[in-house]
Amino acid sequence: MRKTPIMAKAAALLAFFAMTPIGANAGTSDIDVENAWSRASIGTARPGVAYMDIRNAGDDPVSLVGLRTDVSGMPEIHRTSTDGSGVSSMAPAGDVMIGPGEVVALEPGGLHAMLMRLQAPLREGDSFALQLLFSDGSEVTVMVPILGIAARGPNG
Amino acid sequence: MDGLRPIPLHSMSFRLTDHEGYDVDPETLIGHPSMVFFGFTFCPDVCPTTLSDISGWLDALGPEAQALNVVFITIDPERDTVEAMAEYVGYFHPAIRGWTGSVEQISRAAEEFRVRWEKIPTEGGDYTMNHTASVFLFNSAGRFVSAIDYHEPPEFAVPKIRRALQDKKEGTK
Ligand SMILES: [Cu+2]
């Protein structure tokens, strides 16, 4: 069947959105996300992780309150901390407030998106969509590239 | 870091298995400088970061690092079998060995290295581990030289490793 011009246009538009690395806001908050990355997994038994910088470019504070992604049955924002005697631990971080103009970094050894119950292995070279859910009801979709297991940052 | 430091290797008595199935014990390490740290392969954040940091330090040291034993000991032997360790360490620097053992032997090793660990249940019947994330350096006589804190920058870590490589002092009894 031949496409009508309108259908072709819709398809092109869909392709454009699919290729856009960082999705548009569903709500009103003014959030920019940069430097997103994840590590490849070995199978699905071990939890995955994602890191990124989240900037609140708006005039009001906003809190990151949750995550959603098809790759994880239980995505959660976690914080790793290391105490004075060198013992590291990890626990759910609760809501993460981002003040106006501030950047919150999800980075190794600090905050991270913990991707428990992986639904499929995270393969190096692929990417997946991760929705960040904010206190004002807005959502931001981030495309997260999957780097190697030994990656140290967004550039590998 | 508080005052806890590993006892000398020649005073330790643990017996473990490396990721190729060989028996290992403190004697395996004595005779060369060693870098030892504890973690678990189900750790998504701290442990891959430490393994990647170590890979970077070894790359920075180049041929100097060839004399160094580099050992990752799991504190989660229930999940980290020999096969799991082999698969995991294969993704990092080839010098890194992965050691595991029975819960009793791992507990003994952790005690001798003065490593603290605790199993923490999480939602849905899973668990995670809190553990000492420092990297311990020993000289070739098996004496503890220094520790590298978790995620310490390479400009501090690499000179510490160099000092352990060059430290020729005898082990203390
Ligand atoms: Cu976590």
Side-chain angles (χ1 to χ4, degrees), chain B residues 46-73:
Chain B
V46 167
C47 306
T49 302
T50 298
L51 282 156
S52 312
D53 283 348
I54 287 174
S55 301
W57 304 336
L58 294 174
D59 288 343
L61 287 160
E64 262 186 280
Q66 278 168 16
L68 192 65
N69 298 309
V70 188
V71 179
F72 166 34
I73 302 179

Side-chain angles (χ1 to χ4, degrees), chain A residues 78 90 112 114, chain B residues 44:
Chain A
H78 276 194
M90 173 174 78
H112 55 273
M114 175 94 165

Side-chain angles (χ1 to χ4, degrees), chain A residues 39 46 51 80 85-86 88 109 150, chain B residues 41 44-45 49 52 116 130-131 133:
Chain A
R39 292 194 185 94
R46 297 177 178 84
Y51 303 106
T80 297
S85 53
S88 283
Chain B
T41 79
D45 184 43
T49 302
S52 312
R116 298 208 314 222
N130 296 352
H131 63 93

